[in-house]
Amino acid sequence: CHRTSTNRQATTEWISKKIIPLLRHTPTIMRQGLIAYTMEKGDCKLSIHQAYRAKCRAMDKIQGATKNQYCHLRSYDVKLLDTNKNSTVIIKCVMGAKGPIYERMYVCIEACKIAFATTSRPLIGLDGCFLKGDYGGHLLTTMGKVGNNQMLPIAYVVVQSESTDTWSWFLGLLLADLNAI
């Protein structure tokens, strides 16, 4: 019998376990590179589709599934408040059919509030940007300018969409935080 490089029993799960060490060092490797890597190692010959699915599964194992990261928002909230005592962190969720669904999150660190109140010019800049990825959203920020022309982040919020409602919610919380100093 001659040796063949195709192996129908090589599952995506098995291939993803084999390529995790490579993806830890070079996460931007292309599918052709994965095919060459598995051929070089002598494991098996992959199709383009197998390489794509294996890379996706391996990256999920390395980085953790994106969807599961939303479960850790409350622990992130607690950690921020433990390390920055008088900070403000508000996570707003709505109840869905399968439990709470993330809607928006507001963060204002105490050190940034105090620095703005004591060293910054009385001017606040507002900006928003798109968040790229599977779930998208918008990052809205407020910035101040200190005496040596450096930018100082005051607060930020991550929301599903940029609208009048989200901006007014954000600015209302920001004004409450800055008036409390």
Side-chain angles (χ1 to χ4, degrees):
C1 292
H2 67 283
R3 183 175 176 176
T4 178
S5 59
T6 57
N7 184 354
R8 291 184 182 187
Q9 293 178 340
T11 63
T12 304
E13 184 67 29
W14 181 79
I15 297 167
S16 69
K17 287 179 185 175
K18 294 288 186 182
I19 63 173
I20 282 177
L22 173 68
L23 289 176
R24 285 192 196 279
H25 297 291
T26 54
T28 58
I29 191 168
M30 303 299 276
R31 290 178 287 194
Q32 290 81 8
L34 288 176
I35 293 169
Y37 175 77
T38 55
M39 286 289 287
E40 181 182 306
K41 295 282 278 181
D43 293 334
C44 63
K45 181 179 179 183
L46 302 179
S47 70
I48 292 284
H49 302 293
Q50 283 177 316
Y52 173 76
R53 288 189 304 267
K55 182 179 179 183
C56 289
R57 176 115 9 124
M59 291 304 286
D60 277 349
K61 288 178 185 175
I62 292 169
Q63 298 173 348
T66 309
K67 190 181 258 186
N68 293 337
Q69 296 301 316
Y70 285 98
C71 299
H72 301 292
L73 277 177
R74 296 288 179 200
S75 60
Y76 177 67
D77 174 5
V78 170
K79 192 66 166 175
L80 268 175
L81 293 175
D82 283 346
T83 56
N84 303 289
K85 293 295 179 201
N86 293 324
S87 298
T88 307
V89 180
I90 298 172
I91 299 173
K92 186 176 179 188
C93 296
V94 294
M95 281 309 275
K98 296 180 181 177
I101 298 172
Y102 172 80
E103 192 173 89
R104 47 181 89 157
M105 178 178 177
Y106 168 81
V107 177
C108 187
I109 307 293
E110 179 194 19
C112 295
K113 288 190 280 190
I114 293 172
F116 175 74
T118 58
T119 63
S120 224
R121 297 176 186 164
L123 177 69
I124 294 177
L126 306 172
D127 196 14
C129 67
F130 294 105
L131 295 175
K132 301 205 180 210
D134 293 339
Y135 297 100
H138 290 269
L139 175 68
L140 309 177
T141 60
T142 55
M143 305 293 282
K145 204 165 194 181
V146 293
N148 61 354
N149 289 331
Q150 299 295 316
M151 302 301 284
L152 172 72
I154 303 168
Y156 63 91
V157 65
V158 179
V159 295
Q160 289 178 337
S161 65
E162 186 176 5
S163 65
T164 306
D165 177 48
T166 55
W167 272 111
S168 60
W169 180 76
F170 177 35
L171 294 176
L173 291 172
L174 179 67
L175 286 174
D177 269 345
L178 294 178
N179 287 333
I181 295 177

